[in-house]
Amino acid sequence: MKIAVIGQSLFGQEVYCHLRKEGHEVVGVFTVPDKDGKADPLGLEAEKDGVPVFKFPRWRVKGQALPDVVAKYQALGAELNVLPFCSQFIPMEVISAPCHGSIIYHPSLLPRHRGASAINWTLIHGDKKGGFTIFWADDGLDTGDLLLQKECEILPDDTVSTLYNRFLFPEGIKGMVQAVRLIAEGKAPRLPQPEEGATYEGIQKKETAKINWEQPAEAIHNWIRGNDKVPGAWTEACGQKLTFFNSTLNTAGLVPKGEDLPILGAHRPGVVTKAGLILFGNDDRMLLVKNLQLEDGKMIPASHFFKGVDSNALELTEEELVMAEAVRSAWKRILPSVLEVEDSTDFFKSGAASVDVVRLVEEMKELCDELELENEDVYMATTFGDFIQLLVRKLRGDDKDHECIIDYVNRLARLADLMEQHQEELATIEALDAGAVYTLALKTHVGMSIQTFRYFAGWCDKIQGSTIPINHARPNRNLTLTRKEPIGVCGIVIPWNYPLMMLSWKTAACLAAGNTVVIKPAQVTPLTALKFAELTLKAGIPKGVVNILPGSGSLVGQRLSDHPDVRKIGFTGSTEVGKHIMKSCALSNVKKVSLELGGKSPLIIFADCDLSKAVQMGMSSVFFNKGENCIAAGRLFVEDSIHDQFVQKVVEEVRKMKIGNPLDRDTNHGPQNHQAHLQKLVEYCQCGVEEGATLVCGGSQVARPGFFFEPTVFTDVEDHMFIAKEESFGPIMIISRFADGDVDTVLSRANATEFGLASGIFTRDINKALYVSDKLEAGTVFVNTYNKTDVAAPFGGFKQSGFGKDLGEAALNEYLRVKTVTFEY
């Protein structure tokens, strides 16, 4: 289609670029005149492409369209007008001219919040859902027929900026392109806007943004965040206007102790604390404001209100002076109307807009490698001199905030709630990314992950030391106590078979113990870890506490093992890699290590068992999660007298298994995780046949697209064979006989492995069960069941299956260190 783009800003620029990529012909771009010598990004981009650009200061006068403006527009022959972001009033002579009409983007769910300050009012009203609308323009104010709407959740501490950057900007661009695509295909709807629920609120201005203190804390918070940045919610205090920014209701653990700040009309004085300014609603609930703007325009941390201006300017090193000149050059590029950038040059008074803030932050991150700079920092240091001081303090590490006090009981419980709310999405991701059958992923991969965070949330406030009576030489007046402290930065490296569950088993205990964590998901299954990171932010876990670092083990995993600031590594994976990690941790800084490694778990089935249950659980012990299960029964020992009957029943059950799409609810057996693993299973079975084991069924790739492998059963497996000693990590059942009544011999055979992760017994004889469970050399012994792990039960291996525990109270000790304190009195 021939399209005219009418609008401005980075949003308009992105929509323009995407429309051209879709193959549409943009016949003209209409944007705003240059401001302070700076062209709008949309116009700049179009000029590069040779598209005609028009910068009309106005389209009409006294309500009448300007004929020459309309003529220039009509000469282009546009078939559709696209208005991605437009601050000008466009006359109906232009709106109605194209054969397809005009479509406009609006940042609210129309008919709610018609008007120019829609995002502000979405937040001010405390809406739980927000979003955008693309509608057909008419002669009303945002009243045209609806074409497309998309909604999102409004987070408790969202501001105009965060909501715009997280959803309205990226998804809005996609929505505009989708709307044009629907029009081109003749599928675009025209749904009349309902009047029910319609609202119109005026443009927010500084004079109307004064805070009304006769409201609950939540309403005041919504007012502040709804006016955040522009125009800014303000009040009168200490004889001046104070404007509040960066408000939050997350005040768990905060105590209103500090210096009182009397506020005109407020229910109670505010309190300036190390965390910021605590305010109160008329319901006596608290909210916290982190930044203030003084009447002279200077932005300061709210915690510094009574400290005055910091006059202790840093003296810059030669290297820092060079950096300062590079920053000065960046300011000159961004502020072309400024002839010379002095220390007193104010970024915003020199004509900078919000888009320039984004540009400055990105340039600074590129210039100062690894610098943590936010848009907020630019507003806190608006003059060049202050900005350089801020950068230097950050680069020197001198800008650390006060200790952040977080109620982790509630945060981890909230995280579990959010995981439950998103469980279907998480299960779908596991199915797509790891090949897990959806129903199993929902119950086990995701379900147990939720249970794990709920369990460890309960431990957060119950970690305690002890007092110990000691008997030193006189005077014998001593007190010795122990403290359990967080280790610090922990690295967690997880495998690809249970991407979310393995992450949760380790991370929940790590966070409950008070640590920060860097998680390296498996290179082939990173997606649920990334979704998990998103949910941690929604749960209110502070930035920097949980970090996801996808990548290869040889690069990212190795760096974590080598890094001197990482004090603990928790690893689940192969024994070979575990040994390498242990060596690296020893050479780097003697890190604490816990390892859950390979297995070849024996399952002993005695003739006196419940055979039906033994078959059912034996199947589960091998084929659960496609055999990609660290505790899978690597070898079944079946007593002679029931061996043939057991094998017959197993084969009957195997043939009933439905192999197929893991997203289908009736699928029992999905694809293996990746192609290399599938090939390994094929070779494993070939080796078993070559060594003389009997292949009863399976042993091959399924003849269909995808990495599907047949459930496989081997019998007549002798102790010396490769498949008797090595783990397949796939759906391959290895069955060996043992003589009737020969308990000690089968125990010796079961323990004749360097692995000791799990084991199992099926018998009705309680004495035999206790005797065998005592003798088995494995971290977990299942009796008349299998795969029955629980969040309260410690899990971990013996021998070359590793050391350390996941789950249960024991897991906390992996992420704590014990300090002994002795007093004499």
Side-chain angles (χ1 to χ4, degrees):
M1 282 192 298
K2 293 182 176 181
I3 293 173
V5 177
I6 306 174
Q8 64 204 71
S9 79
L10 283 173
F11 187 84
Q13 179 194 56
E14 287 294 319
V15 171
Y16 161 82
C17 291
H18 281 75
L19 291 176
R20 282 175 55 87
K21 285 179 184 176
E22 290 268 311
H24 299 292
E25 180 187 356
V26 178
V27 294
V29 163
F30 299 84
T31 188
V32 293
D34 296 356
K35 183 180 178 181
D36 297 322
K38 293 170 60 178
D40 185 81
L42 170 59
L44 280 174
E45 192 69 30
E47 286 172 351
K48 287 183 197 172
D49 299 328
V51 173
V53 176
F54 303 87
K55 301 179 182 181
F56 302 136
R58 64 186 63 84
W59 292 70
R60 60 184 188 174
V61 174
K62 295 181 180 180
Q64 298 300 312
L66 296 172
D68 59 328
V69 169
V70 174
K72 288 178 181 178
Y73 163 80
Q74 290 176 335
L76 299 173
E79 298 171 317
L80 173 70
N81 291 331
V82 174
L83 286 73
F85 179 85
C86 183
S87 62
Q88 296 177 311
F89 284 100
I90 311 301
M92 286 305 296
E93 288 87 340
V94 172
I95 292 294
S96 305
C99 59
H100 292 296
S102 301
I103 60 170
I104 305 180
Y105 170 90
H106 184 79
S108 79
L109 297 173
L110 291 174
R112 191 160 173 79
H113 307 308
R114 294 169 175 166
S117 296
I119 311 177
N120 304 73
W121 289 104
T122 298
L123 298 171
I124 290 169
H125 282 276
D127 292 357
K128 303 303 181 186
K129 293 288 183 183
F132 63 84
T133 303
I134 296 166
F135 68 98
W136 299 94
D138 66 357
D139 57 357
L141 186 63
D142 305 330
T143 57
D145 292 344
L146 305 180
L147 192 162
L148 182 150
Q149 286 188 320
K150 290 191 178 180
E151 69 174 34
C152 68
E153 180 185 3
I154 306 293
L155 304 181
D157 288 344
D158 261 332
T159 63
V160 173
S161 295
T162 61
L163 182 57
Y164 184 71
N165 293 332
R166 188 182 82 249
F167 184 83
L168 298 176
F169 181 88
E171 295 302 320
I173 293 163
K174 295 176 188 175
M176 288 298 284
V177 175
Q178 182 184 350
V180 173
R181 192 180 300 137
L182 289 171
I183 293 169
E185 294 170 354
K187 299 177 182 178
R190 289 178 178 265
L191 307 173
Q193 267 197 56
E195 284 304 314
E196 184 180 352
T199 61
Y200 173 81
E201 299 95 354
I203 297 175
Q204 275 300 87
K205 299 178 180 178
K206 191 70 175 181
E207 56 267 26
T208 61
K210 186 176 181 180
I211 297 170
N212 171 16
W213 293 101
E214 289 303 318
Q215 302 180 89
E218 185 173 358
I220 295 171
H221 163 68
N222 287 337
W223 184 261
I224 294 171
R225 69 185 181 129
N227 287 283
D228 207 288
K229 292 292 180 290
V230 178
W234 60 276
T235 192
E236 295 178 53
C238 292
Q240 64 172 315
K241 287 183 179 179
L242 296 181
T243 305
F244 296 152
F245 299 99
N246 203 346
S247 168
T248 179
L249 288 173
N250 183 16
T251 57
L254 284 181
V255 179
K257 288 185 178 179
E259 194 165 353
D260 283 358
L261 175 63
I263 297 173
L264 187 65
H267 180 62
R268 286 171 56 179
V271 183
V272 177
T273 71
K274 290 182 179 179
L277 174 61
I278 293 177
L279 302 172
F280 299 89
N282 63 7
D283 57 354
D284 274 330
R285 284 189 63 201
M286 298 189 299
L287 63 145
L288 180 71
V289 167
K290 296 181 181 177
N291 299 320
L292 297 176
Q293 188 175 37
L294 306 178
E295 201 160 24
D296 62 4
K298 185 173 181 61
M299 187 90 76
I300 63 169
S303 58
H304 293 182
F305 181 75
F306 288 116
K307 294 181 180 179
V309 179
D310 184 4
S311 58
N312 297 321
L314 299 174
E315 185 175 342
L316 274 56
T317 65
E318 289 187 15
E319 185 178 339
E320 288 165 348
L321 288 169
V322 172
M323 181 272 295
E325 290 308 307
V327 175
R328 195 186 304 274
S329 298
W331 277 50
K332 286 180 180 177
R333 290 193 298 273
I334 297 171
L335 305 171
S337 62
V338 177
L339 297 177
E340 194 62 41
V341 175
E342 308 284 353
D343 282 359
S344 59
T345 301
D346 187 284
F347 192 68
F348 295 102
K349 291 178 181 177
S350 300
S354 57
V355 64
D356 300 308
V357 174
V358 176
R359 178 181 170 188
L360 178 61
V361 168
E362 292 307 312
E363 287 205 28
M364 293 304 99
K365 287 180 179 177
E366 189 172 335
L367 177 65
C368 309
D369 189 31
E370 298 184 3
L371 175 68
E372 289 189 12
L373 190 69
E374 306 290 343
N375 293 5
E376 191 71 34
D377 294 317
V378 181
Y379 293 95
M380 298 289 287
T382 60
T383 66
F384 181 76
D386 288 345
F387 187 72
I388 291 296
Q389 290 283 313
L390 179 142
L391 287 185
V392 171
R393 289 184 191 278
K394 281 184 172 289
L395 290 169
R396 291 184 184 182
D398 294 340
D399 68 322
K400 301 303 181 187
D401 291 335
H402 62 278
E403 182 179 357
C404 186
I405 302 171
I406 299 293
D407 180 356
Y408 273 98
V409 176
N410 288 331
R411 292 305 96 199
L412 292 189
R414 169 68 176 149
L415 177 58
D417 290 343
L418 285 166
M419 292 171 74
E420 187 169 37
Q421 290 170 23
H422 291 81
Q423 60 183 331
E424 289 87 359
E425 179 183 2
L426 289 166
T428 302
I429 295 172
E430 289 289 72
L432 294 171
D433 205 25
V437 172
Y438 175 84
T439 50
L440 175 65
L442 193 62
K443 179 182 177 182
T444 302
H445 291 235
V446 180
M448 194 171 188
S449 298
I450 295 166
Q451 294 168 14
T452 303
F453 276 99
R454 288 223 170 97
Y455 173 81
F456 281 106
W459 272 111
C460 290
D461 57 359
K462 300 174 185 67
I463 296 171
Q464 58 193 24
S466 58
T467 58
I468 302 171
I470 62 171
N471 187 22
H472 286 170
R474 293 183 181 180
N476 188 22
R477 296 188 301 275
N478 303 299
L479 172 65
T480 294
L481 57 90
T482 61
R483 293 173 55 90
K484 292 184 178 179
E485 300 178 342
I487 289 175
V489 181
C490 299
I492 288 176
V493 182
I494 54 176
W496 44 257
N497 59 326
Y498 293 102
L500 182 64
M501 194 171 81
M502 292 294 99
L503 177 153
S504 300
W505 281 20
K506 297 184 190 300
T507 304
C510 178
L511 294 179
N515 302 284
T516 60
V517 62
V518 181
I519 302 167
K520 193 209 85 65
Q523 188 173 11
V524 292
T525 54
L527 298 184
T528 42
L530 296 172
K531 180 65 182 180
F532 170 80
E534 176 190 321
L535 297 180
T536 64
L537 291 176
K538 290 185 177 182
I541 293 175
K543 176 184 174 183
V545 172
V546 175
N547 308 275
I548 308 296
L549 199 58
S552 68
S554 59
L555 178 61
V556 179
Q558 186 66 53
R559 291 288 178 88
L560 285 174
S561 301
D562 293 340
H563 202 291
D565 291 338
V566 177
R567 290 293 173 184
K568 159 72 197 273
I569 291 288
F571 172 73
T572 294
S574 71
T575 298
E576 179 185 4
V577 175
K579 289 178 179 180
H580 182 77
I581 285 175
M582 195 171 175
K583 181 179 179 181
S584 297
C585 290
L587 292 175
S588 58
N589 59 351
V590 194
K591 289 178 178 65
K592 189 173 183 178
V593 185
S594 57
L595 303 172
E596 194 245 286
L597 308 175
K600 187 66 174 174
S601 301
L603 173 57
I604 304 173
I605 300 175
F606 291 99
D608 60 1
C609 71
D610 178 336
L611 186 59
S612 295
K613 187 175 183 182
V615 170
Q616 174 197 348
M617 301 307 297
M619 293 279 293
S620 174
S621 75
V622 175
F623 301 122
F624 188 82
N625 200 50
K626 312 161 291 172
E628 295 170 354
N629 188 17
C630 53
I631 58 172
R635 190 177 181 193
L636 279 67
F637 295 92
V638 183
E639 203 161 3
D640 257 334
S641 56
I642 62 166
H643 175 275
D644 293 348
Q645 189 180 2
F646 179 85
V647 172
Q648 178 189 346
K649 287 180 177 294
V650 163
V651 172
E652 289 172 0
E653 293 302 314
V654 165
R655 286 173 178 155
K656 295 176 185 176
M657 293 173 68
K658 180 179 177 182
I659 303 171
N661 185 341
L663 290 172
D664 290 346
R665 301 305 191 260
D666 57 347
T667 294
N668 306 117
H669 190 81
Q672 305 308 135
N673 188 276
H674 50 280
Q675 188 171 20
H677 184 55
L678 174 71
Q679 186 57 38
K680 175 191 167 188
L681 296 179
V682 172
E683 293 168 1
Y684 186 94
C685 290
Q686 289 172 349
C687 181
V689 172
E690 289 168 4
E691 287 190 313
T694 301
L695 178 63
V696 178
C697 63
S700 302
Q701 182 176 355
V702 179
R704 59 174 292 169
F707 306 143
F708 294 91
F709 190 79
E710 296 174 329
T712 300
V713 178
F714 275 102
T715 60
D716 302 320
V717 178
E718 298 179 11
D719 295 355
H720 68 274
M721 292 180 179
F722 175 83
I723 63 172
K725 295 185 289 186
E726 296 298 325
E727 181 180 28
S728 70
F729 213 65
I732 303 172
M733 183 178 284
I734 307 297
I735 302 177
S736 298
R737 296 173 179 267
F738 70 94
D740 288 341
D742 197 351
V743 176
D744 288 327
T745 298
V746 75
L747 266 171
S748 177
R749 294 171 69 191
N751 285 331
T753 172
E754 272 300 299
F755 300 110
L757 189 56
S759 59
I761 311 159
F762 276 86
T763 178
R764 286 192 173 98
D765 185 337
I766 186 64
N767 293 319
K768 187 188 295 180
L770 289 171
Y771 176 79
V772 174
S773 64
D774 282 348
K775 297 294 184 181
L776 282 170
E777 298 170 357
T780 295
V781 181
F782 298 109
V783 180
N784 294 328
T785 187
Y786 209 89
N787 285 326
K788 196 162 191 174
T789 53
D790 186 90
V791 293
F795 178 88
F798 295 169
K799 300 188 284 189
Q800 290 198 44
S801 287
F803 51 83
K805 295 294 182 184
D806 291 326
L807 304 179
E809 182 181 1
L812 292 169
N813 296 325
E814 304 298 332
Y815 299 95
L816 293 165
R817 60 188 184 188
V818 177
K819 178 183 288 181
T820 301
V821 182
T822 298
F823 296 83
E824 182 176 287
Y825 58 93

